Amino acid sequence: MEAPTAIKRRLNELGLRTRLRARPRAQGRVLAPAGLFRRLPSAPGLFFPFYHDVLPEYSGDLRHHLLRMRRIGTMVSYDEGLEVLAGERPLTGPAFCLNFDDGHASWRDVVVPMLLELKLPATFFVTTGLIGRPGNLTWDDLRDIRRAGFPVGSHTVSHHRLADQDDAEVWHEIVDSKKELEDELGVEVRDFAAPYGYPRVDFTEREVRVAEQAGYRSFASTRRPAMHAGDSPMWIRRQGLHPAWPLMAVRTRVHD
Ligand SMILES: [Zn+2]
């Protein structure tokens, strides 16, 4: 049992973290000093940086991140990233496989136009229960994004923490989201990203097995280290970023 002071300290930390998350620029400034001794990658390694909402006020910042990634490495699609893991595509330096989570309307308004302009590939992981809700995409928006050439993966139905769900709920989240995306978009959906994504806390082996049975070829977590040929596609490691962060803060997540 934790001593009351330890509990209090923990609550304070949680409160601070929640407040910082609501103010991404401040969060980036807090993270930045930890990036002082890290460098953006220069060695061969596959990274899966991902973002969520990109409000118009952060569009210049996202562009800045993406241009830097493109300058120091190769931007690859999810298909190409999985080829790297399968040993079918050599890694000659850092490679970045960009992706986005949840289903934000800003994907339509900010992200996709920028990706098209910069000719960058990306995959969008959609929480189907968010579609049509305020601030999120509609199915028509998603069909447009698909037609523009961007693959869509599943990010569950309701964005619950999978580790807390019973077997039937897990099946619903992983299998029914796939079916609904496929019915609405008319394409096969083969990639899955777990909400929150930390192994053993947010998801377990059970969810990976269900995803395999459901026909997914990949399962993404939010563990961070770079990936290489031979690593399992059912154990993708991604780096969560916010466009408001300075590059120094990005270095805490994406580094050799
Ligand atoms: Zn999410």
Side-chain angles (χ1 to χ4, degrees):
M1 173 120 181
E2 278 183 288
T5 49
I7 292 171
K8 214 191 263 174
R9 199 184 317 133
R10 175 99 185 110
L11 284 174
N12 283 337
E13 280 168 15
L14 282 175
L16 176 66
R17 224 180 294 158
T18 309
R19 284 201 303 281
L20 283 176
R21 217 172 275 150
R23 293 167 54 227
R25 282 209 199 281
Q27 185 189 32
R29 281 195 298 272
V30 169
L31 279 171
L36 203 58
F37 302 104
R38 302 277 196 193
R39 313 172 66 112
L40 287 172
S42 56
L46 175 62
F47 297 86
F48 291 82
F50 75 101
Y51 299 85
H52 295 91
D53 201 3
V54 182
L55 297 174
E57 67 202 90
Y58 300 127
S59 91
D61 303 282
L62 178 68
R63 178 185 293 265
H64 183 52
H65 285 193
L66 300 184
L67 290 176
R68 179 58 71 91
M69 288 178 207
R70 189 168 73 175
R71 197 179 321 148
I72 63 172
T74 325
M75 309 299 280
V76 297
S77 68
Y78 229 77
D79 280 352
E80 291 167 334
L82 296 187
E83 285 170 21
V84 168
L85 298 183
E88 293 161 2
R89 173 178 287 265
L91 266 184
T92 53
F96 302 101
C97 183
L98 196 59
N99 53 109
F100 293 81
D101 276 11
D102 296 348
H104 303 281
S106 63
W107 295 357
R108 173 198 62 207
D109 301 333
V110 177
V111 175
V112 165
M114 188 185 303
L115 296 174
L116 288 172
E117 184 207 325
L118 299 176
K119 297 190 170 58
L120 298 180
T123 288
F124 292 89
F125 287 103
V126 173
T127 299
T128 56
L130 290 175
I131 299 306
R133 300 256 197 100
N136 292 282
L137 300 170
T138 64
W139 284 112
D140 276 339
D141 293 330
L142 264 184
R143 279 187 277 272
D144 288 343
I145 288 175
R146 264 292 319 159
R147 271 196 292 270
F150 298 97
V152 169
S154 166
H155 193 46
T156 73
V157 174
S158 57
H159 209 281
H160 290 151
R161 182 170 276 108
L162 290 166
D164 297 342
Q165 309 293 305
D166 68 28
D167 290 353
E169 287 165 331
V170 163
W171 189 261
H172 168 64
E173 295 289 343
I174 295 177
V175 179
D176 292 348
S177 60
K178 184 179 195 292
K179 280 198 195 117
E180 191 176 8
L181 284 166
E182 290 176 344
D183 288 348
E184 290 284 353
L185 304 179
V187 287
E188 195 185 355
V189 169
R190 298 182 293 166
D191 304 301
F192 180 84
Y196 314 106
Y198 204 78
R200 284 180 291 281
V201 177
D202 303 319
F203 73 91
T204 63
E205 276 295 320
R206 173 185 62 167
E207 285 77 52
V208 179
R209 279 198 302 274
V210 169
E212 253 163 6
Q213 283 168 30
Y216 289 100
R217 63 173 180 172
S218 76
F219 188 108
S221 74
T222 55
R223 285 203 65 227
R224 294 183 201 142
M227 299 189 77
H228 299 90
D231 288 338
S232 170
M234 298 311 282
W235 202 253
I236 300 271
R237 301 195 286 260
R238 303 193 297 161
Q239 300 80 32
L241 304 177
H242 194 290
W245 293 358
L247 285 169
M248 190 100 115
V250 172
R251 276 152 51 171
T252 65
R253 303 290 190 265
V254 179
H255 54 78
D256 279 329

